[in-house]
Amino acid sequence: MKPVLGDRALVRAAWTVAAAGVLSCAGAVLLHRWVAARAEVTPLYAADLVLGTVWPVVGALVAARQPRNRAAWLLLLTSAIGPYLLLAHYAAADALVRPLPGAAFGAWVASWGFAVYWLSVPLLPILFPDGRAPSRRWGLFAKAVAAAGACAALAAMFHPGGTDVSPRVVNPLGVAALDAPLGLAAMAGSYATLFFGTLGGVACLVWRGRRATGVERDQLQWLMFGGLVMGVCLGFAALYSQAGLLPEVALSIGLFALPASIVVAVLRHRLFDVEALLGRSVVYTLLSGFVLAAYALAVIWLGRLATGSTLGYLLVGAAAVTVAAGHGAVQRWVESLLFGHRRDPYAVVSRVGRQVAPAGEPVEALERLVDALRRELEVPYVAFAGPAAEVSSGSPVADLHTVPCPALGRDLGELRVGLRHPGERLLPQEREAVAEVAGRAATLAYAAGLVQDVAASRARIVAAREEERRRLRADLHDGLGPALAGTAHQLDALARRLGRAGHEEWSQRLRGQRDRVKAAVGDLRTVVQGLRPPILDQLGLPGALRELVSGYETPACSHLIGPECADLPAAVEVAAYRIAAEAVNNGVRHSAAGSLRLLAEISDGRFVLTVEDNGRGLPARPRAGVGLGSMRERAEEVGGRLELLAVPGGGTRVRAVLPLKE
C-alpha cells in the first residue's frame, strides 16, 4: 500500500507542528502576563514551556532524518502543550477579566489537554531510536500504555470541576453525576501510564541497550543518560520541601536533558564516552540515594534527631563509609547491568570458554569462539583469519582491532575485532580480553591445522588405495582372470581326450584340477568385484549414476549429469557412486516421494552430487543411521563433506561436495 504522504510532506508537517507548538507557547506567555496583571491566576511554569517547545523541536529534527519514525512523532505530540496553555489562559481571561467568544472550548481543552504528559515519557524508551518496539511483547505493552492514557484523557474530558489554570475555569462538558467514577478513571489511567508505564519503559530501555550493538547501542545509552538526569531532577523537585525557583529550575533541567540527549544520540552519538558518563552517573545517583535514605530512615526511627547533631553526623559518616567500601562492587554491578561483562576481561574469557566447550571439532570451536566474543564485547564483527581456518561472526566493518595469534613459535593467524564506530579504541579491559581469547584461538587454529593435515593424509591414502584397486582390478580382470579361465578350458579338453583314449583315471584327475581352477576363477571374480564396483568400469560414473535412477515408476526419477563427470579420480568415482546409491535407496524406500532428482556436476574444481526428493522430509530430530554415517564417512575420506538439508515445501536434499585435487 502506497503511503498517503511522502517523506518531504511529512518533514514539512513535522516542522509545521513544532512551529505551531512553539508559537502557541509564546502566545501563552504573553496572555498569561496580561491576565496575571489583572487577576490572580496560577503561575506559568517554565517546565511546561520546555516540554511544549524543546521536545517538539527535537521531534522535528529527528523527523527531518527519519520522517516515518514513530519516536519523532511521539516527541512532536508534546507540541499540544502550547495550544493547551494558550487555550487555558484564554478561558482564564474569559472567567477572570472579561467575556471572550469561544472561551468554553478553551475551558474544555484546559480540562484534559495535559494528557500528553502521560504518554511521552513511558513510550519514548520503547520506540526510540528506530520508532519500533523491540519485540511483539513490548509492542503490546506500548499499546496497553497508550490505551490507558487514552482512557484517562477521555475520562478527564467529561470530569466536572476546576482546571489547573484557575479554579474558576471549569469543564463546560463535565457530568456532575459521574464525578466520582470519572475522577477515579482519570486518576487510575494517569497513574498506570506514568508509574507502571514509565517503569516498563525503563526496563525495556535497559533490556534493549544490553542487546544492541553499534550506533543503536550508543543512541540508547544517550537516552539512558538523559533519562537518568531527568529522573534525578524530577525526584529532587518532588522531595524539595519549599516551592520556589530551585525546584522549578530542576524540573526545567530535567525536561530539557532528555531531548538534549536525543539530539546528541541522533546527530552526534559519539560526542564523548557516554558509557563512562552513564555508568558513573548511575553509580553516584545510587550511592547518593543510599546516603540520603539512610539519614532519612534514621530521622524517622529516632524521631528526636536534630539537624546537625552528633548522632546525625555519625549516621551520615557511617553511611559514607559503607558507600566508600561498596563503591567498587556497585560500579561492577551497574556496569554489568548496563554493559554486560565486556568491562571484566576474566568474565569475558570465562563466558567465551563456556560457549566453546560443546564444540566437536576445532573449526566449530573457532566459530563458537568468535561468535561468543562478538556477543560478549557487543561489537559488530569478529573474525579469525589464518592458513588453517577462516571464520567470522557479524557484519564486516572498516575499522578493526587486530591481534596476532602465535602458538608454539608459529604464526597461526590473527583475530580481528570490528570497532563499534570509526576512530573508536577498545577499552584496556576489552583489549586484555581480546588478547586472552586470541591465545585460545591460536591453540584451536593449531588443532585445526593438525586435523586438516590428518584429513589430507587420509584423502591421499584413500586416493592411492582406490587408484591401486582400479589398477589391480584391471590387471586381474584382463590378465590373470582370462589366463586361469583358459587353463580350465585346456584341462577340460585334455581330460576328454584322455577319456576317449581309455585313460579314465587320468581323465578324472584332470577334471578335478579343472574344477579347482574354475573355483579359483570364481574366487578371483569375487575379489575383483570387491575391489571396485564393476559398473564403474563397464559404464563409467555417468552411466552408473543413470542406472541408479532408471526403472522406477514411483517415485518418478530424473537425472542431469554433466559430461565432464566422465573422467574423475578413482577415489572420487567410488565415493560418489556409493553415496548416490545410498541416497537414492533412502529416497525410494523411506521418503514416500512422488519425484526424485539426481544432479552431478563439476564446479570450482569440485564434484558436486545432489539427490533431492519431494517426500515427507526430515524428522524434527533426525538420527544418524548406518546409511547416513556411511555416506558422510565416504565423503570425508576423500576430503569432502556431506550436507543433509530440508527442502522448502517438503522433501530432503542430500548434497555431497568432493574435491578433485588429490
Side-chain angles (χ1 to χ4, degrees), residues 302-319:
L302 297 179
R304 297 179 180 178
L305 183 61
T307 304
S309 65
T310 303
L311 182 56
Y313 288 135
L314 290 175
L315 289 173
V316 174

Side-chain angles (χ1 to χ4, degrees), residues 29 75 77 154 160 210 217 225 227 301 316 348 389 427 446 475 543 630 645:
V29 172
L75 289 166
L77 181 64
L154 184 63
R210 293 194 61 185
R217 180 177 60 83
F225 176 69
W301 287 339
V316 174
V348 170
L427 298 174
Y446 183 77
D475 291 345
S630 174
L645 306 170

Side-chain angles (χ1 to χ4, degrees), residues 198-277:
T198 301
L199 287 179
V202 171
C204 176
L205 182 61
V206 174
W207 177 83
R208 191 173 190 174
R210 293 194 61 185
R211 287 159 176 79
T213 58
V215 174
E216 181 185 1
R217 180 177 60 83
D218 282 340
Q219 290 175 337
L220 291 173
Q221 287 177 350
W222 275 111
L223 186 65
M224 288 182 194
F225 176 69
L228 179 64
V229 174
M230 179 178 172
V232 171
C233 291
L234 294 182
F236 172 80
L239 296 176
Y240 196 74
S241 58
Q242 298 177 356
L245 180 62
L246 192 57
E248 181 67 14
V249 171
L251 280 173
S252 301
I253 293 175
L255 290 173
F256 181 82
L258 192 63
S261 67
I262 292 174
V263 170
V264 176
V266 173
L267 302 180
R268 191 79 181 275
H269 54 81
R270 291 298 292 178
L271 187 61
F272 50 90
D273 189 3
V274 67
E275 290 187 2
L277 179 65

